[in-house]
Amino acid sequence: MSVSIFQYLANTNTINFLIMALLLVWICKKINLKISLNKSIETVKNAILNSENEKTSAKKNLDDAKETLKNLPKEINTIETLSKEKIDVFKKQVNENTKKTIEAINANIDKVTEIEEKKISNAMTKQALEVSVETSKNKIIEKLASNPELHEKFIDESLKELENIL
């Protein structure tokens, strides 16, 4: 019976299987398959944890984005209202500045016109004065030429004035 068991084992690949199993156990011990499997399991666990954290972060970002989208029409209306108010204020300022500038320009025009009128008036007065003096001179010369006594009287009066001054 013991020979038939050995013969049976030799004919069936059981010995080959046992040898292979022992060889595999020995290789696993040499390679430290358990440590390698533990490292792989740890790496997978870390990857899963990181994936869970990223999923949580992405969900939070998604919720924030949804909340932002929900409030977006209100924010757009607020921005539009503020923009309109700022535009109105800007328009008022531009209008006020334009009015002030126009008033300043008109005031300057009035001043320049007034100055020019005075210049023209002074020029005309000077011209009239020169004509008047020239006319008076000519009349005095005529009177003095026609009446020599007046000439002498004028000289005497001028000399008396000079004496009084000295």
Side-chain angles (χ1 to χ4, degrees):
M1 174 146 167
S2 59
V3 175
S4 74
I5 291 177
F6 286 119
Q7 207 176 23
Y8 173 74
L9 288 175
N11 288 337
T12 62
N13 287 326
T14 308
I15 293 180
N16 288 338
F17 176 75
L18 287 176
I19 293 173
M20 268 312 253
L22 290 174
L23 187 62
L24 187 60
V25 168
W26 180 76
I27 289 174
C28 285
K29 283 186 179 181
K30 282 290 188 184
I31 297 178
N32 289 328
L33 188 62
K34 187 175 182 180
I35 293 173
S36 179
L37 285 175
N38 285 340
K39 284 182 184 178
S40 295
I41 290 171
E42 199 61 35
T43 303
V44 170
K45 279 183 184 179
N46 288 337
I48 290 171
L49 284 175
N50 287 338
S51 176
E52 296 268 334
N53 290 338
E54 287 179 12
K55 179 181 174 185
T56 304
S57 176
K59 182 159 176 38
K60 184 180 180 294
N61 288 341
L62 178 63
D63 291 341
D64 291 344
K66 284 180 180 178
E67 188 66 29
T68 301
L69 283 176
K70 187 190 299 182
N71 294 330
L72 191 62
K74 291 177 186 175
E75 290 179 16
I76 289 173
N77 288 337
T78 304
I79 291 171
E80 286 177 347
T81 303
L82 291 174
S83 295
K84 286 178 184 176
E85 290 173 3
K86 287 180 181 180
I87 288 171
D88 290 341
V89 168
F90 183 69
K91 282 180 182 179
K92 286 178 185 176
Q93 286 177 343
V94 167
N95 286 336
E96 288 175 10
N97 290 340
T98 303
K99 286 178 184 177
K100 287 178 183 177
T101 303
I102 289 171
E103 289 172 2
I105 289 171
N106 286 336
N108 287 339
I109 289 172
D110 291 343
K111 287 178 186 177
V112 169
T113 303
E114 192 176 310
I115 291 169
E116 289 299 317
E117 286 175 354
K118 285 182 181 179
K119 283 182 182 178
I120 292 170
S121 175
N122 287 341
M124 290 176 68
T125 303
K126 183 180 175 186
Q127 206 173 25
L129 187 62
E130 288 174 356
V131 170
S132 176
V133 168
E134 190 63 33
T135 305
S136 295
K137 180 182 162 189
N138 289 339
K139 284 188 179 184
I140 291 172
I141 291 174
E142 279 179 25
K143 280 192 176 189
L144 289 175
S146 66
N147 193 351
E149 292 173 6
L150 287 176
H151 191 265
E152 288 177 16
K153 184 180 175 186
F154 176 70
I155 292 174
D156 287 338
E157 286 179 7
S158 295
L159 288 174
K160 283 181 186 176
E161 285 294 322
L162 283 174
E163 285 177 3
N164 286 338
I165 291 174
L166 297 172

